[in-house]
Amino acid sequence: MHYVNHLRRFFLLLGCLGLISLISLDSTFAQQPNIIYIMSDDHTTQAIGAYGSRLAGLDPTPNLDDLAEGGMLFHQVFCVNSICTPSRASILSGQYPQTNGVLDLDHHLPIAKQHLPRELSALGYSTAIIGKWHLKNEPQAFDHYEVLPVQGKYFDPKFRKKGAGDWPKNLVQYEGHSTDIITDLTLEYLENRDTTKPFFLMHHYKAPHDDFEFAPRYEDYLAETEIPEPASLYNQPYFGSEATRGANDSLHQYIGTSVSNRHFRRNYVKMYELEDLPADEATHISYQTYLKRYLRCVKGVDDNLGRLFDYLKKEGLWDNTIIVYTGDQGMMLGEHDLQDKRWMYEESMRMPFIMHVPGEEAGRHSARLINNTDFAPTLIELAGGKAPEYMQGMSFAKEVRGEEITEWRTATYYRYWMHMIHHEVPAHFGIRTDRYKLIFYYSSHYLEGDAGKDFYWWKQYTPVGNIPPAAWELYDLELDPQELHNRYADPAYQEIVAELKAELKQLREDLNETDEAYPAIQRIVESHWNDPR
């Protein structure tokens, strides 16, 4: 009997320890928020009402504006390379391009560098990605995926779905518009998720990427509305440099695809068949058409976010779910008579970033200098983990929680590698501080000789010798927020230029972003580093 009593006490103790362990696990789970990271493709700050741009009066994004009003709006968030695949690679890896290996659209993010979902899995999260992926390799680090192949289609899109076969043949197809379908798939995932774990979901729209194929129900949206135009669409005599315009504007028609008929090959006047109209009238109509098509795609995204947010509230998930909304980069909406992204100018480089964080004060704003390598470290810390040392980004989780951050960067680095490809943008790098932006156009592809021949198809369009020269640009963002006046050669700014160059050089070394592996580019950098103009 004595032995039996001891045995009973032993099992009772084990049971209590097990109960304590379960209570501890439940407590940990209760403290870990769900995380939904929402990203649209090419959705720029100008097209979000909360940012107060010239388009805010059109009220394009009421659901996102409500998210900002009830959460936190970030005003200085930038990508480190304004093009889809490299930006997404930096977000997922927490690293700059030369470290994660993704310099341009042709590179694959190694499966081993799908860091963010893997780190969150280790913290006990179930992980999923639905929508646009654009990182070539299978998203193996996620528990569930259903992703568009490459760019994907706007209508009746196919998806590669985990469990539907071997990658990349695991295709399923749905009828309808991609924005609606991606939302449907996310709602289905949430309905059937593993409720024993917190979840991390990356919800990625294709819209509003060109060619801006909106759902038919938006055909009349903004049809009778005059869209405000940027002044720089028509006139900007002090903008740019010889790298972006040529000497005496000799390359003006070759560099940077345009809204007007300026660009010889790709412009919206030609695309919308308006070449018989007077130049300014054709530009005006082209701009109106471009923006309305773009904003109709944005409207589809915002309406679908309303569906998603309503579901989260109805299901009791809103108060335990961190929500991030962003775009993979910005977009030129006619500023400087440019289309697309790629440029280091504000509208292209800046990313929208809005957060809903349960338990934190509503209506907050941040002007901290953040870039997309910071997203992964921040989300890991908000999930209860510690940002790994192999990530180059910095966590701003303290700022999200309303705590003080004592050390932070004074400048963010940028580099666009794809010299004169697709939209004829010269290769360049630079830094942006709170007040200044320094850009160096080195104007050369990183692949030399025969290795780069497949990238130089554009030469067939451009007269021999008209490859853009190297040049510098400096903008004082406090006095010139629209970047209309290049101050690089201005005597009043020479001390600033020297300070920025010193910081740029140091950043390139610190971030593994030098050109030691590309000696031809290194020679260009060295020979033009002290150029007076």
Side-chain angles (χ1 to χ4, degrees):
M1 179 64 70
H2 186 69
Y3 169 76
V4 172
N5 286 338
H6 275 294
L7 199 60
R8 284 175 178 167
R9 291 193 191 100
F10 175 72
F11 282 115
L12 181 63
L13 179 60
L14 281 179
C16 289
L17 289 172
L19 181 62
I20 290 169
S21 178
L22 285 172
I23 290 171
S24 176
L25 284 172
D26 285 347
S27 175
T28 300
F29 172 58
Q31 291 171 5
Q32 284 182 294
N34 303 308
I35 302 171
I36 301 179
Y37 175 92
I38 305 167
M39 186 161 70
S40 297
D41 196 323
D42 297 345
H43 192 185
T44 186
T45 56
Q46 305 98 281
I48 295 177
Y51 281 98
S53 78
R54 71 179 187 277
L55 304 177
L58 303 174
D59 193 26
T61 53
N63 289 302
L64 281 174
D65 298 347
D66 287 346
L67 190 71
E69 186 177 351
M72 191 169 186
L73 183 70
F74 293 77
H75 293 270
Q76 292 200 115
V77 177
F78 302 96
C79 55
V80 299
N81 187 349
S82 183
I83 192 70
C84 300
T85 303
S87 179
R88 291 164 190 269
S90 288
I91 290 165
L92 213 65
S93 67
Q95 297 170 336
Y96 288 79
Q98 289 200 67
T99 299
N100 66 37
V102 182
L103 308 185
D104 59 27
L105 293 175
D106 296 298
H107 287 138
H108 298 220
L109 180 69
I111 291 170
K113 295 202 172 185
Q114 295 175 13
H115 294 316
L116 177 56
R118 193 168 284 115
E119 291 288 344
L120 290 175
S121 290
L123 292 172
Y125 279 76
S126 63
T127 60
I129 180 167
I130 296 171
K132 187 167 179 181
W133 172 237
H134 210 189
L135 287 171
K136 316 287 185 179
N137 288 322
E138 182 179 11
Q140 289 184 8
F142 292 88
D143 298 320
H144 172 76
Y145 67 76
E146 196 157 3
V147 296
L148 295 166
V150 197
Q151 285 288 352
K153 303 293 184 183
Y154 266 113
F155 288 98
D156 301 335
K158 293 180 180 179
F159 290 77
R160 290 176 176 147
K161 181 177 182 179
K162 188 166 188 175
D166 294 332
W167 179 276
K169 297 180 180 179
N170 50 339
L171 293 169
V172 295
Q173 187 170 13
Y174 302 95
E175 291 185 5
H177 191 273
S178 70
T179 304
D180 300 331
I181 292 166
I182 289 166
T183 307
D184 291 342
L185 294 175
T186 280
L187 295 177
E188 180 182 337
Y189 165 78
L190 292 172
E191 277 288 310
N192 298 295
R193 73 188 189 281
D194 180 356
T195 56
T196 66
K197 296 180 178 182
F199 64 84
F200 169 63
L201 168 65
M202 301 191 87
H203 172 84
H204 292 182
Y205 290 116
K206 171 181 172 60
H209 193 280
D210 69 7
D211 291 323
F212 320 119
E213 297 176 36
F214 51 86
R217 64 182 180 274
Y218 297 110
E219 183 71 43
D220 294 332
Y221 176 63
L222 300 175
E224 303 302 321
T225 302
E226 186 80 0
I227 310 297
E229 299 175 345
S232 60
L233 175 61
Y234 297 97
N235 185 44
Q236 45 179 355
Y238 305 109
F239 165 75
S241 61
E242 288 193 6
T244 57
R245 304 173 68 118
N248 301 313
D249 281 353
S250 58
L251 301 179
H252 206 213
Q253 63 180 318
Y254 298 114
I255 302 173
T257 54
S258 59
V259 175
S260 76
N261 64 358
R262 172 184 57 78
H263 191 265
F264 72 104
R265 182 181 66 83
R266 185 167 179 167
N267 65 73
Y268 283 127
V269 170
K270 180 183 292 187
M271 186 176 295
Y272 300 141
E273 299 180 346
L274 300 169
E275 294 163 292
D276 292 337
L277 295 177
D280 282 356
E281 182 182 356
T283 299
H284 170 74
I285 296 173
S286 296
Y287 172 84
Q288 295 295 316
T289 305
Y290 170 29
L291 266 289
K292 289 177 183 181
R293 291 180 61 85
Y294 177 89
L295 291 171
R296 286 165 187 159
C297 289
V298 168
K299 178 65 171 169
V301 167
D302 193 74
D303 285 351
N304 272 280
L305 290 178
R307 289 175 59 206
L308 175 58
F309 297 162
D310 287 346
Y311 173 87
L312 295 173
K313 293 170 184 176
K314 178 173 69 73
E315 296 297 320
L317 294 169
W318 186 259
D319 292 332
N320 191 35
T321 301
I322 290 173
I323 298 171
V324 171
Y325 182 82
T326 187
D328 56 347
Q329 61 258 326
M331 187 75 166
M332 305 303 299
L333 299 182
E335 299 87 2
H336 309 299
D337 189 23
L338 295 172
Q339 53 171 285
D340 203 62
K341 52 267 184 180
R342 304 164 192 260
W343 299 94
M344 198 181 162
Y345 303 128
E346 288 292 278
E347 296 85 0
S348 167
M349 182 188 182
R350 177 183 276 123
M351 307 169 75
F353 202 86
I354 302 170
M355 291 190 74
H356 161 75
V357 184
E360 299 297 338
E361 181 183 353
R364 291 185 297 153
H365 293 255
S366 170
R368 185 169 300 280
L369 204 59
I370 292 166
N371 71 48
N372 54 346
T373 68
D374 302 331
F375 298 177
T378 300
L379 293 177
I380 290 167
E381 288 203 3
L382 289 173
K386 183 179 179 181
E389 291 185 2
Y390 63 76
M391 288 188 176
Q392 296 172 290
M394 305 171 70
S395 171
F396 54 94
K398 284 186 176 181
E399 176 138 344
V400 174
R401 297 190 190 107
E403 302 169 11
E404 183 182 3
I405 297 178
T406 55
E407 293 185 10
W408 197 257
R409 67 172 62 88
T410 57
T412 185
Y413 180 75
Y414 180 90
R415 183 164 187 174
Y416 175 72
W417 294 79
M418 297 175 63
H419 179 60
M420 295 294 285
I421 296 169
H422 303 146
H423 286 268
E424 280 82 71
V425 177
H428 58 286
F429 61 71
I431 57 169
R432 188 207 191 273
T433 69
D434 282 326
R435 177 166 178 174
Y436 298 104
K437 182 181 294 180
L438 181 68
I439 308 170
F440 176 58
Y441 291 92
Y442 58 91
S443 301
S444 179
H445 200 281
Y446 64 92
L447 294 176
E448 298 182 55
D450 288 343
K453 68 180 187 309
D454 291 338
F455 294 89
Y456 287 101
W457 53 267
W458 55 270
K459 280 189 175 180
Q460 66 183 294
Y461 298 115
T462 309
V464 176
N466 276 2
I467 296 173
W472 292 86
E473 295 178 11
L474 172 71
Y475 296 98
D476 184 337
L477 300 171
E478 183 177 295
L479 301 180
D480 179 24
Q482 296 180 11
E483 298 171 301
L484 298 176
H485 197 153
N486 177 12
R487 296 286 186 177
Y488 179 77
D490 188 331
Y493 285 86
Q494 293 314 294
E495 186 175 339
I496 297 297
V497 167
E499 292 172 0
L500 290 171
K501 284 185 177 180
E503 189 165 12
L504 173 59
K505 182 179 180 181
Q506 188 63 53
L507 264 182
R508 279 165 52 80
E509 293 173 359
D510 293 346
L511 298 174
N512 184 37
E513 285 292 322
T514 64
D515 285 293
E516 292 179 7
Y518 308 103
I521 294 177
Q522 184 61 33
R523 288 192 294 271
I524 294 171
V525 173
E526 290 173 354
S527 63
H528 291 278
W529 191 258
N530 295 315
D531 280 0
R533 52 191 291 271

